């Protein structure tokens, strides 16, 4: 039930952003953007403080090298700065990664544990931040941004693999699949599922672009 409640919160929050998009466009929301950006940073800082205080922090799993961990930081900076390049990364990587995390969470704690609240808060905020900048601020994904995001991801993979090798970690699940059920269960054994993920990521990004791209006015033949 707590999982379904988190999914329902995500749906309701997304609907509210879409429903009030026109009203919010005419408002000055800079202060709220700043507040949300700092809340994301505070939530992530609180998570690391919780890890340290309980003896769970370790370089093999606590560095911000998961896609969603990176998306949290990028979403916070996007809210604080409005940077267009960061929007492209957060939109494609953030929505695709956070949506998968919300639907199939790798999580050992339920409501009302801090880790449950942190996990769903930060992942839903990634999605909501992307939708807010799309529907309210008027940013739109482009095909060029899609391929640029794929390039950034592939440039990041060797670095993460090296960190995994040095720390015996499993960031981005490059070394093995997670123990809980996930999308990777459908993509073949290690290491072949990483190649499958390339096509899945490109496909998901393309669908997101189709859904949220800037529509041309009707009758515009160009």
């Amino acid at each position: 039930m707590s999982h379904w409640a988190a999914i329902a919160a995500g749906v309701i929050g997304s609907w509210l952003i879409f429903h009030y998009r026109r009203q919010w466009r005419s408002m000055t929301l800079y202060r709220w953007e700043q507040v949300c950006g700092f809340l994301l940073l505070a939530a992530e800082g609180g998570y690391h403080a919780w890890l340290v205080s309980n003896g769970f922090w370790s370089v093999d799993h606590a560095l911000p090298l998961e896609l969603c961990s990176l998306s949290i930081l990028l979403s916070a900076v996007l809210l604080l700065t409005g940077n267009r390049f960061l929007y492209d990364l957060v939109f494609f990587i953030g929505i695709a990664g956070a949506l998968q995390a919300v639907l199939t969470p790798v999580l050992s704690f339920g409501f009302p544990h801090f880790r449950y609240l942190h996990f769903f808060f930060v992942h839903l905020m990634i999605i909501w931040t992307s939708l807010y900048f799309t529907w309210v601020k008027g940013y739109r994904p482009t095909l060029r941004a899609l391929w640029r995001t794929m390039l950034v991801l592939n440039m990041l993979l060797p670095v993460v693999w090296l960190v995994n090798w040095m720390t015996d970690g499993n960031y981005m699940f490059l070394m093995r699949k997670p123990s809980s059920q996930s999308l990777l269960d459908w993509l073949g054994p290690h290491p072949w599922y990483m190649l499958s993920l390339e096509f899945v990521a490109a496909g998901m990004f393309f669908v997101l672009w189709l859904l949220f791209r800037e529509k041309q006015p009707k009758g515009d033949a160009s």
Side-chain angles (χ1 to χ4, degrees), residues 65-116:
L65 292 177
E66 301 288 2
L67 284 181
C68 285
S69 299
L70 292 171
S71 296
I72 292 167
L73 300 178
L74 292 177
S75 296
V77 179
L78 173 59
L79 285 163
L80 295 172
T81 66
N83 182 276
R84 176 57 199 247
F85 176 71
L86 293 182
Y87 164 79
D88 294 333
L89 295 178
V90 171
F91 178 86
F92 288 113
I93 298 175
I95 291 183
L99 185 61
Q100 194 270 340
V102 169
L103 294 178
T104 58
V106 181
L107 188 63
S108 302
F109 302 95
F111 181 85
H113 195 277
F114 165 77
R115 177 59 178 138
Y116 167 92

Side-chain angles (χ1 to χ4, degrees), residues 201-221:
M204 293 179 69
F205 292 175
F206 186 73
V207 170
L208 287 171
W209 172 76
L210 282 177
L211 291 174
F212 293 95
R213 72 190 190 281
E214 188 171 6
K215 307 297 192 299
Q216 291 186 355
K218 292 182 179 181
D220 187 350

Side-chain angles (χ1 to χ4, degrees), residues 55-156:
F56 296 150
W57 202 98
S58 175
V59 292
D60 65 349
H61 68 269
L63 298 175
L65 292 177
E66 301 288 2
L67 284 181
C68 285
S69 299
L70 292 171
S71 296
I72 292 167
L73 300 178
L74 292 177
S75 296
V77 179
L78 173 59
L79 285 163
L80 295 172
T81 66
N83 182 276
R84 176 57 199 247
F85 176 71
L86 293 182
Y87 164 79
D88 294 333
L89 295 178
V90 171
F91 178 86
F92 288 113
I93 298 175
I95 291 183
L99 185 61
Q100 194 270 340
V102 169
L103 294 178
T104 58
V106 181
L107 188 63
S108 302
F109 302 95
F111 181 85
H113 195 277
F114 165 77
R115 177 59 178 138
Y116 167 92
L117 297 174
H118 164 266
F119 181 91
F120 285 109
F121 171 73
V122 295
H123 285 91
L124 290 178
M125 278 295 293
I126 293 170
I127 297 173
W128 290 337
T129 298
S130 301
L131 296 179
Y132 169 78
F133 274 87
T134 302
W135 288 333
V136 178
K137 303 288 284 187
Y139 291 34
R140 292 290 175 175
T142 64
L143 277 177
R144 179 179 295 181
L146 187 159
W147 297 118
R148 186 168 58 233
T149 301
M150 288 295 298
L151 177 62
V152 170
L153 277 178
N154 281 277
M155 291 174 63
L156 186 62

Side-chain angles (χ1 to χ4, degrees), residues 9-20:
V11 172
I12 293 171
S14 301
W15 178 83
L16 288 173
I17 296 171
F18 180 78
H19 182 73
Y20 289 105

